[in-house]
Amino acid sequence: MPSAVTPQRRSREISSNDEDIESSVAAASSAAKRIRVNLNGDAAPASSALLLSNAYEPVADEPLQEEVLRSRQTKAKHQPGSIVRVKLANFVTYTSVEFLPGPSLNMVIGPNGTGKSTLVCAICLGLGWGPQHLGRAKDVSEFVKHGEQEANIEIELAGDPQRHRRNPVIKCNIKRENNKSTFSIDGKPSNKKAVIELCKSFTIQIDNLCQFLPQDKVVEFAAMTPVELLRSTQRAVAPQEMLDMHDELKEHRKQQKEIEAKVQSDHGGLENLENWQRTHADDVQRMREREVVKQRVRYLETARPFPKYREARDAHTIAKKKKKQASDELEALKREVEPSLEAVNAKQAYQQQVETATSARRKAVHDAEKAVDSIDRKLKTLHDRKGELEAEVEAEKNGGKDNRKEVARLEQNIARLKKQIEEQPPEFEISGYNERIREKQRAMDDASRRVQDLKRKQEDLGHRGRDKNQRIQQARQDLANLESQAGQQEAKLKSLSIDTFRAWEWIKQHQDEFEQQVYGPPIVECSVTDLRYVDQIEVLFQRGQLLTITCQTKNDFKKLGNILHDQLHLAEINMLHMSGTLDNFPPPVNRDQLGQLGLTGWALDYISGPEPVMAMLCANARLNSTGMGDRDTSAEHFDLLQNGPIENWVTKRSSYKITRRREYGPSAMSTNVRDVKKAQIWTNQPVDMTAKRDLQENIEGWTSELVDFKREMDEAQVEIEKIRATIRDNQEEVKTLQAEKAWKQKTLADIRALPVKLSQQEERLAAAQQSIAAMRQRLQSIASKQDALTHERAQAAIEYSLAVESLQTRHAELYEAEIALIEAKSDLAYLIEKNTSVKDLLQTKQEEVNECVAQVRHYSDVAKGIFAEIRQIMTGWSEETRTFVEELPQNQTSEELEAEIESERARLDLTHEGNDRGVIQQFEAREQKIQKLRENLEGLREELAEAEERITGVRDRWEPELDRLVGMISRSFGENMKEIGCAGEVGVAKEEDFEDWSIKILVKFRESEPLTPLDSHRQSGGERAVSTIFYLMSLQSLTRSPFRVVDEINQGMDPRNERLVHRRMVGIACGSDSLSSPSSLDQEQQPLNNNNNSTSFDSVTVNGDILENGNEVAKKAAAAAAPVGGSQYFLITPKLLPSLTYARGMRVLCIASGEHMPEKADKVDFERCVDLARGLRGATTVAVR
């Protein structure tokens, strides 16, 4: 890919009489082969070929005319931080290019699309700022030229002699692949942060729109609020301390407002609390007195256990004395009655001895009775055993009788079997029977298979008949539908979407399964009420809207969707849930206004259907807001409709749709017009006779086939009945043969089994005879057992007799002991009765002692319980409670204490009852809160005073400096506006909050009007552009930035304002003493175009003025000795007006590309082109003279 290089030039001497204009041209490659327009916007004609051909040929060193204009060296030089050189490679539209801007005003010109704004993008990205400051692409990789993988930016900044030995060179490499940028400074790898820090050291502010205003940020700058403009202005012309002080003032004011809000809130709260305290002070005092009484009652109630303890302790002492006295009296009485009691005791001991003997003899009697009972049970057991043996003998005898009978029967059977064996068996041929049976079975199987075949034929005929019948019914239904409107619409639905047709057929059959009615597509549910508008109605709908099924509930919507998709597997289904009504869709204007717009009604007026379906169509097709007309829209009505609320309307032949982009202003709109086509859906077309005839023929043919099917089925049924009769006859014959065969087989088997049966009978006979012998042996064994049992019974009888005698003896001994016991008890009762009075006296005295002991124990327990209660109570006592109880009288009784408590309670009843403690606590808490609020208020007032002092200190330093800077800006702005015959001033709008301080720009463009604020409502776009550029120029003398960029700010200006602004800009940027007017050439010149496939430099024609170009001139201009005018300035514009004012130090950077550019840059001598143009101008001047 060719790259831009500095062209070879012949050496020239610089004349002091040359114009004070210096020009440098950068050429770039272009991706599109098209003829560019010149700087005045005219296409370059073919007549420029002569100039091009001369420019390519080398010429002699001598000038063409004596008055050849030469560029004169300017005194300006680059200030520190200004841009000396910009070199690009594979960046946006450039393959390779190098810019050499001048130290003052640089005008970058060229047709649209040649890459003027690309220079601005390169400055921004090359100096470390991001693409967000350009308002174009979001990623840096988008700035890499199409088809390339990386781009390079190289920017040389003018160095500060005090800090730099040479100019810093910043290089930026952009990778497309990872969307990353890498940087280097003076050939050493670096990073974006270091590059930005270097730029900030030169006070370069790419992110400040007052210094760097790219093309896509012009609108953002115009929309900048006055508050934002103030901050941007300070960043542009004021030191950082000014911004810091402004931010500090904002923060101080914010803190001051917070403190003031706290002071106001606390002061209001304090007043409310103090008023409440004053209002309730008397009530609280009474409550406090009542609280004292309540506290005394609590103290008295706490002291209740103490007199009770004293009383229990005294009672315990008295009870102990009584106990000791009663015990002494009991001991004395016992000693007195002791002789009488000894006789009673002796008789009691004798009675106990007799009772012991009686108990022993009673036990002996019981043991003897048990022995007699045991022997008696043994005798009963032996007797039962005797009966069992007798039953066994009887059973054996009975079994012997049965065995003898069985022996007789078996002997008879054996004799009969022997006789049968001697007889001959009958003859029997079984194979003949089997063959006859198999023949009959095969005949039945063949008949059964024939029956199955006939049945399958009948089933097939039945299926085919049912299918034909269904087809006949469907054809009849289709025939009826052809003659009905609903049927025609369903036929159209089927032709549009077979899936939707099947879904609608299913819905009609299952409507009762849904919560509310489900409506079919509008094609079957709706109809056009006025057929004159049918074409206009149909143009409003898309295919999907005509096929949409409407559900009234979400559950029905979900259920139907699952059925249609998951069960029926239908793909092309459109469904909507619509729960609203037509009341939710009002028209945008009323009927009268609609008539004034040339429309007859709304689309909703000419179509009818169920309300949910109509609401769905209003939501999706806007039937309620689409107007309908019966004639074409006139120009007058179109203007009214275009500026009115209606966005859609349809006439006889056209459909209109207006699209408004409100974000771009009220005039940003577009109108889409479509032709109205012939209706296809809601039409009253005649019945399709061909389809009707086809259906009728199909019905007749299918009916004839049904008759044939029935005849064949009847014939098959007759044959089946015949075959079944044959099968039944064969079955009877088979049964007869099988029965005869079975009888003969059984007879033969019985004869063959006779020897076996004989052997079995003989074995059973032998077994019966053995059983009889075994019975005789068992009877002998039973007889032996009976003899042994008789001996055992005799022995048991003897033992029983002896046991009875022993029992009689034990009974006699028991009777003797019981008589002695009766005598002892009688004697003891006599003695006890004789000493009853003594015993009663002892018992009485003992009871008295026991009662005294119980009293002592009771009073001791009571005293201990009360003492434990006192100890527990005293653990939680306060010092006041302890002192109060100690001061109570020591001899005070419980009754006296209770009386005092009741007295104090009576005092409480005389005062107001309520939540005294809670009210008092709240009163005291409020008192503490009041004190705290007073302390807080005092501290807040001190903080407020400190905040005011801080604000005053900062404001006294910031505000005068701000007023001075804005005053200087205002004077410069006023002078700039005055230069063009207008007026303007700049001031600071000072609000209470420093965040709301703003720049206030007042302008006046007409003599009769006053100064008014600059905004989008009062001034035109051109006036705002003039004011904006003048404001930026007013910052020039105060600027702290080494360069300033403005991209196409002059696009909204009229020619007059553009000339005035241009002159003022040149004067400010280059110095007012360097202004000059250009001379004109009588012969119009055309610009040189660059070939599309090459990157080089060319010259530029500015309304006939050929400006000298080339890197050598630019380098000489950059080496000027002394600065003239302001800082470096870049003005980007696609065109220049003729006869503009230019000045010394001004440089024009021309961007040119095109299909006539040469392959190599050194083949074009742009300096010769300029010399040729100047020579022609000089020749013209001489001829005129």
Side-chain angles (χ1 to χ4, degrees):
M1 180 67 68
S3 60
V5 296
T6 304
Q8 297 297 325
R9 305 178 54 204
R10 53 193 177 88
S11 60
R12 302 176 51 201
E13 295 181 358
I14 299 177
S15 171
S16 61
N17 297 323
D18 289 345
E19 290 181 323
D20 300 331
I21 299 173
E22 186 179 359
S23 174
S24 176
V25 181
S29 66
S30 173
K33 293 186 177 181
R34 62 185 184 273
I35 299 177
R36 301 295 186 183
V37 296
N38 62 17
L39 299 183
N40 294 319
D42 301 324
S47 61
S48 61
L50 177 60
L51 180 60
L52 287 170
S53 61
N54 293 336
Y56 287 129
E57 297 297 331
V59 297
D61 292 340
E62 62 271 16
L64 297 178
Q65 298 289 341
E66 293 182 357
E67 298 184 12
V68 173
L69 302 178
R70 300 295 184 184
S71 176
R72 187 172 58 191
Q73 184 177 2
T74 178
K75 298 180 180 179
K77 69 177 183 178
H78 287 83
Q79 296 183 12
S82 61
I83 297 174
V84 176
R85 180 174 55 87
V86 178
K87 186 176 181 180
L88 309 176
N90 297 326
F91 187 79
V92 189
T93 60
Y94 294 114
T95 300
S96 179
V97 68
E98 186 175 32
F99 295 90
L100 298 172
S104 298
L105 178 60
N106 292 275
M107 299 189 69
V108 183
I109 62 176
N112 289 328
T114 54
K116 301 183 300 300
S117 297
T118 303
L119 173 60
V120 179
C121 299
I123 293 174
C124 175
L125 300 179
L127 295 181
W129 273 266
Q132 67 272 16
H133 299 291
L134 297 171
R136 289 196 171 190
K138 182 174 67 175
D139 300 324
V140 293
S141 61
E142 298 183 36
F143 290 89
V144 180
K145 186 178 180 181
H146 180 71
E148 302 294 337
Q149 295 303 315
E150 64 179 19
N152 293 294
I153 304 172
E154 181 177 334
I155 300 177
E156 179 181 352
L157 300 177
D160 186 353
Q162 298 180 356
R163 294 185 298 155
H164 306 95
R165 299 176 57 184
R166 59 181 179 179
N167 292 339
V169 177
I170 301 172
K171 292 184 179 180
C172 172
N173 177 262
I174 302 174
K175 299 287 187 182
R176 181 190 296 276
E177 181 179 0
N178 55 7
N179 192 33
K180 293 288 183 66
S181 300
T182 57
F183 293 87
S184 66
I185 300 176
D186 293 334
K188 297 179 181 179
S190 185
N191 53 42
K192 180 183 290 189
K193 182 178 180 181
V195 171
I196 293 178
E197 289 297 327
L198 175 62
C199 294
K200 286 184 177 180
S201 67
F202 288 113
T203 66
I204 297 174
Q205 300 175 3
I206 299 297
D207 54 346
N208 189 347
L209 295 180
C210 289
Q211 293 186 3
F212 191 86
L213 187 60
Q215 179 181 355
D216 295 290
K217 290 286 185 175
V218 171
V219 176
E220 182 179 337
F221 182 83
M224 188 182 294
T225 64
V227 174
E228 296 171 341
L229 185 59
L230 174 61
R231 181 167 184 83
S232 295
T233 301
Q234 290 186 90
R235 290 186 62 200
V237 301
Q240 182 63 33
E241 290 78 8
M242 290 285 289
L243 288 170
D244 295 340
M245 285 190 289
H246 193 186
D247 293 337
E248 188 177 356
L249 284 172
K250 292 178 184 178
E251 184 63 27
H252 290 338
R253 176 54 184 162
K254 180 180 178 182
Q255 295 174 359
Q256 185 186 37
K257 288 170 64 177
E258 293 175 354
I259 296 171
E260 288 175 348
K262 290 181 182 179
V263 169
Q264 185 177 1
S265 175
D266 290 354
H267 188 267
L270 179 61
E271 289 184 349
N272 292 334
L273 291 175
E274 289 177 342
N275 291 335
W276 198 98
Q277 294 294 83
R278 286 192 294 269
T279 303
H280 297 83
D282 296 339
D283 294 338
V284 170
Q285 182 61 32
R286 288 192 295 271
M287 292 179 183
R288 284 176 174 170
E289 294 175 356
R290 175 181 171 83
E291 187 65 26
V292 172
V293 176
K294 289 173 67 177
Q295 184 66 31
R296 180 173 176 80
V297 170
R298 286 195 290 272
Y299 287 160
L300 291 174
E301 290 176 345
T302 304
R304 276 174 174 166
F306 289 91
K308 290 181 180 179
Y309 174 73
R310 287 194 296 268
E311 293 172 357
R313 186 183 58 189
D314 295 342
H316 178 261
T317 302
I318 294 172
K320 286 176 65 177
K321 291 180 180 179
K322 289 182 179 181
K323 172 192 171 186
K324 186 176 184 307
Q325 183 179 355
S327 298
D328 294 343
E329 292 176 353
L330 177 62
E331 292 297 328
L333 183 60
K334 286 181 177 180
R335 287 192 296 273
E336 184 179 352
V337 299
E338 185 175 1
S340 300
L341 294 177
E342 287 180 354
V344 173
N345 293 334
K347 185 57 70 175
Q348 287 179 341
Y350 173 72
Q351 180 182 342
Q352 290 177 354
Q353 293 175 358
V354 173
E355 288 178 346
T356 302
T358 301
S359 298
R361 292 181 180 181
R362 189 177 290 113
K363 183 177 183 303
V365 171
H366 179 70
D367 293 340
E369 290 177 346
K370 288 176 64 178
V372 171
D373 291 340
S374 175
I375 296 171
D376 182 60
R377 287 192 298 275
K378 182 177 180 182
L379 287 172
K380 289 180 178 180
T381 300
L382 293 173
H383 179 75
D384 294 339
R385 179 61 180 162
K386 175 187 175 184
E388 292 175 356
L389 291 174
E390 290 175 352
E392 289 179 4
V393 170
E394 187 66 23
E396 290 292 340
K397 289 180 178 180
N398 292 332
K401 293 178 181 180
D402 294 336
N403 287 332
R404 283 190 291 272
K405 290 180 179 180
E406 179 66 16
V407 168
R409 188 183 65 82
L410 291 173
E411 289 175 349
Q412 293 176 358
N413 290 338
I414 291 170
R416 180 175 54 81
L417 291 173
K418 288 180 178 180
K419 183 179 179 180
Q420 290 177 353
I421 291 172
E422 293 175 355
E423 297 177 355
Q424 292 296 328
E427 294 182 358
F428 173 62
E429 185 65 31
I430 190 172
S431 59
Y433 280 97
N434 291 337
E435 183 61 28
R436 291 167 62 188
I437 291 172
R438 280 195 293 271
E439 289 178 358
K440 296 294 182 181
Q441 190 68 44
R442 283 194 294 269
M444 287 190 295
D445 291 341
D446 293 339
S448 297
R449 283 194 292 272
R450 177 58 180 164
V451 170
Q452 293 297 326
D453 293 340
L454 291 174
K455 284 185 177 181
R456 283 194 291 270
K457 181 179 179 180
Q458 284 183 324
E459 290 178 358
D460 180 63
L461 291 172
H463 288 311
R464 292 167 64 187
R466 285 191 293 273
D467 180 65
K468 296 298 181 183
N469 195 28
Q470 291 177 357
R471 292 188 181 184
I472 291 171
Q473 297 298 328
Q474 183 64 41
R476 289 173 178 171
Q477 181 66 32
D478 293 343
L479 188 60
N481 289 340
L482 282 177
E483 299 175 355
S484 66
Q485 181 66 27
Q488 292 180 13
Q489 293 305 110
E490 289 187 356
K492 293 175 183 177
L493 173 62
K494 185 176 181 180
S495 65
L496 281 177
S497 173
I498 187 63
D499 285 355
T500 307
F501 174 78
R502 292 174 180 171
W504 175 231
E505 289 295 316
W506 187 92
I507 291 170
K508 289 190 295 184
Q509 297 173 9
H510 301 82
Q511 279 284 5
D512 56 345
E513 299 180 11
F514 299 100
E515 297 177 356
Q516 295 187 26
Q517 183 175 357
V518 177
Y519 293 97
I523 191 174
V524 297
E525 294 283 6
C526 300
S527 61
V528 178
T529 57
D530 191 342
L531 294 179
R532 294 178 302 169
Y533 295 93
V534 65
D535 297 342
Q536 298 163 253
I537 291 296
E538 281 196 17
V539 78
L540 299 176
F541 299 110
Q542 298 178 2
R543 181 175 180 274
Q545 294 169 346
L546 291 172
L547 300 177
T548 299
I549 298 172
T550 304
C551 300
Q552 300 188 70
T553 67
K554 290 183 178 179
N555 292 335
D556 288 348
F557 179 83
K558 184 177 180 180
K559 179 180 179 180
L560 181 60
N562 293 336
I563 291 173
L564 297 182
H565 291 95
D566 300 339
Q567 298 182 16
L568 301 182
H569 304 291
L570 301 179
E572 187 184 9
I573 298 297
N574 296 317
M575 295 172 52
L576 278 178
H577 164 235
M578 176 54 65
S579 58
T581 63
L582 289 176
D583 296 336
N584 298 329
F585 302 97
V589 299
N590 56 38
R591 292 285 181 181
D592 295 337
Q593 293 174 326
L594 189 65
Q596 295 173 4
L597 297 174
L599 301 176
T600 59
W602 302 107
L604 189 61
D605 301 335
Y606 303 105
I607 186 171
S608 64
E611 185 172 5
V613 179
M614 300 303 294
M616 182 274 292
L617 293 177
C618 289
N620 292 275
R622 300 183 179 180
L623 298 184
N624 61 306
S625 61
T626 301
M628 307 295 292
D630 55 2
R631 61 178 61 89
D632 293 338
T633 302
S634 64
E636 179 182 357
H637 288 156
F638 182 82
D639 292 338
L640 293 175
L641 288 167
Q642 195 175 30
N643 297 316
I646 299 177
E647 296 182 350
N648 301 279
W649 73 92
V650 185
T651 64
K652 272 292 186 182
R653 294 187 295 181
S654 300
S655 170
Y656 299 85
K657 180 178 181 181
I658 295 178
T659 303
R660 296 183 173 90
R661 301 293 298 274
R662 305 192 184 281
E663 63 270 23
Y664 297 120
S667 60
M669 65 179 70
S670 61
T671 304
N672 183 20
V673 182
R674 292 187 300 160
D675 293 336
V676 175
K677 299 180 180 179
K678 198 66 178 176
Q680 300 293 329
I681 304 301
W682 289 294
T683 58
N684 288 333
Q685 297 178 353
V687 176
D688 189 347
M689 298 306 299
T690 302
K692 182 178 180 180
R693 185 166 52 255
D694 291 341
L695 289 173
Q696 291 174 342
E697 291 176 356
N698 289 337
I699 291 173
E700 292 176 359
W702 293 334
T703 304
S704 176
E705 290 180 10
L706 280 177
V707 173
D708 295 339
F709 292 161
K710 189 175 185 308
R711 178 178 52 77
E712 292 181 13
M713 291 179 68
D714 293 341
E715 293 174 354
Q717 187 64 34
V718 171
E719 186 176 355
I720 288 173
E721 294 298 331
K722 291 180 180 180
I723 296 173
R724 285 176 176 173
T726 303
I727 292 174
R728 286 193 294 270
D729 295 340
N730 289 332
Q731 287 175 344
E732 291 296 330
E733 293 181 5
V734 169
K735 287 181 181 179
T736 303
L737 290 172
Q738 287 177 344
E740 185 179 350
K741 172 187 172 183
W743 179 80
K744 290 186 176 182
Q745 284 179 331
K746 182 176 182 302
T747 302
L748 183 61
D750 291 341
I751 293 173
R752 291 175 179 176
L754 287 176
V756 177
K757 290 182 177 180
L758 178 61
S759 176
Q760 291 176 350
Q761 293 294 322
E762 290 176 347
E763 290 176 358
R764 292 175 66 181
L765 178 60
Q769 292 173 350
Q770 291 178 359
S771 296
I772 293 173
M775 178 193 68
R776 292 192 183 100
Q777 292 179 358
R778 288 194 295 273
L779 285 175
Q780 292 176 0
S781 175
I782 292 171
S784 299
K785 290 180 180 180
Q786 286 178 335
D787 294 341
L789 181 62
T790 301
H791 181 270
E792 188 175 357
R793 289 180 65 195
Q795 185 67 33
I798 295 171
E799 292 177 357
Y800 183 76
S801 175
L802 294 175
V804 170
E805 291 178 0
S806 176
L807 178 62
Q808 291 175 349
T809 303
R810 297 290 182 270
H811 272 292
E813 293 175 352
L814 177 61
Y815 295 153
E816 182 181 358
E818 287 179 345
I819 292 170
L821 179 59
I822 292 171
E823 291 176 352
K825 287 182 177 180
S826 176
D827 295 342
L828 179 61
Y830 172 74
L831 292 174
I832 290 173
E833 183 179 0
K834 182 179 179 181
N835 294 287
T836 299
S837 58
V838 175
K839 187 175 180 180
D840 290 342
L841 182 61
L842 285 173
Q843 185 175 0
T844 301
K845 183 58 67 175
Q846 184 66 44
E847 291 176 353
E848 183 180 352
V849 172
N850 293 340
E851 182 178 357
C852 290
V853 171
Q855 287 182 352
V856 170
R857 186 178 295 110
H858 169 70
Y859 287 121
S860 175
D861 293 340
V862 170
K864 290 179 180 179
I866 296 173
F867 184 74
E869 181 181 356
I870 291 173
R871 291 184 63 183
Q872 183 177 2
I873 293 173
M874 291 180 66
T875 56
W877 272 8
S878 62
E879 189 63 30
E880 293 81 0
T881 306
R882 187 182 300 276
T883 303
F884 179 85
V885 175
E886 289 177 353
E887 291 177 355
L888 289 175
Q890 294 298 320
N891 56 354
Q892 189 179 34
T893 63
S894 299
E895 291 77 6
E896 292 174 348
L897 181 61
E898 291 296 330
E900 186 174 359
I901 291 173
E902 291 299 325
S903 174
E904 294 297 332
R905 286 179 174 172
R907 289 180 61 191
L908 285 176
D909 294 338
L910 296 177
T911 58
H912 173 72
E913 184 177 3
N915 187 13
D916 302 343
R917 186 60 185 168
V919 173
I920 294 173
Q921 290 177 351
Q922 292 176 6
F923 185 86
E924 293 174 351
R926 273 190 292 271
E927 193 66 33
Q928 296 176 359
K929 192 172 182 179
I930 288 172
Q931 184 62 31
K932 187 175 180 180
L933 282 175
R934 288 172 179 167
E935 295 174 357
N936 289 344
L937 275 176
E938 190 65 27
L940 288 174
R941 290 191 179 99
E942 293 177 359
E943 291 181 12
L944 188 60
E946 292 176 358
E948 291 176 353
E949 184 178 353
R950 289 194 298 269
I951 290 174
T952 302
V954 177
R955 183 172 182 174
D956 289 344
R957 291 184 288 117
W958 175 72
E959 185 176 8
E961 183 63 21
L962 179 63
D963 290 339
R964 184 184 68 81
L965 290 175
V966 174
M968 296 172 64
I969 295 171
S970 179
R971 286 191 295 274
S972 177
F973 182 73
E975 292 176 0
N976 291 335
M977 295 294 289
K978 185 177 179 182
E979 286 290 331
I980 64 172
C982 303
E985 64 181 35
V986 181
V988 180
K990 302 178 181 180
E991 304 294 340
E992 182 178 1
D993 291 338
F994 292 100
E995 291 184 351
D996 298 331
W997 280 42
S998 60
I999 287 291
K1000 185 176 182 181
I1001 301 176
L1002 302 176
V1003 295
K1004 181 176 71 170
F1005 286 91
R1006 297 162 191 82
E1007 190 66 30
S1008 59
E1009 66 182 14
L1011 287 170
T1012 57
L1014 178 65
D1015 56 34
S1016 59
H1017 304 290
R1018 293 182 176 87
Q1019 290 81 26
S1020 65
E1023 291 172 346
R1024 293 197 303 273
V1026 171
S1027 303
T1028 300
I1029 191 63
F1030 277 171
Y1031 183 79
L1032 294 177
M1033 291 164 56
S1034 301
L1035 305 179
Q1036 182 70 21
S1037 59
L1038 303 176
T1039 184
R1040 302 178 61 253
S1041 177
F1043 64 86
R1044 193 181 309 277
V1045 176
V1046 179
D1047 192 354
E1048 298 194 17
I1049 193 65
N1050 60 335
Q1051 293 307 299
M1053 302 181 191
D1054 56 25
R1056 175 182 175 277
N1057 288 334
E1058 185 174 351
R1059 294 179 188 279
L1060 295 173
V1061 169
H1062 182 270
R1063 178 179 176 83
R1064 189 60 182 161
M1065 184 186 299
V1066 172
I1068 291 176
C1070 300
S1072 58
D1073 59 340
S1074 62
L1075 293 178
S1076 63
S1077 298
S1079 58
S1080 300
L1081 294 178
D1082 294 336
Q1083 182 180 357
E1084 181 179 358
Q1085 303 292 336
Q1086 300 297 335
L1088 297 179
N1089 293 324
N1090 195 0
N1091 187 282
N1092 179 54
N1093 299 323
S1094 157
T1095 304
S1096 183
F1097 295 91
D1098 66 348
S1099 62
V1100 62
T1101 302
V1102 184
N1103 196 36
D1105 295 339
I1106 305 300
L1107 305 182
E1108 188 173 6
N1109 309 271
N1111 290 339
E1112 294 299 328
V1113 176
K1115 292 178 180 179
K1116 293 177 182 179
V1124 177
S1127 62
Q1128 192 178 39
Y1129 216 108
F1130 290 87
L1131 177 63
I1132 314 297
T1133 178
K1135 52 90 177 179
L1136 287 176
L1137 295 175
S1139 301
L1140 295 177
T1141 301
Y1142 299 93
R1144 180 187 298 113
M1146 178 178 173
R1147 180 166 296 182
V1148 180
L1149 300 175
C1150 299
I1151 310 295
S1153 64
E1155 56 192 351
H1156 297 296
M1157 294 298 293
E1159 291 290 338
K1160 296 183 179 180
D1162 56 1
K1163 290 187 178 181
V1164 182
D1165 191 345
F1166 289 100
E1167 185 177 358
R1168 293 295 301 167
C1169 294
V1170 175
D1171 289 342
L1172 180 59
R1174 287 177 171 173
L1176 293 174
R1177 185 186 63 176
T1180 304
T1181 304
V1182 173
V1184 172
R1185 291 177 182 175

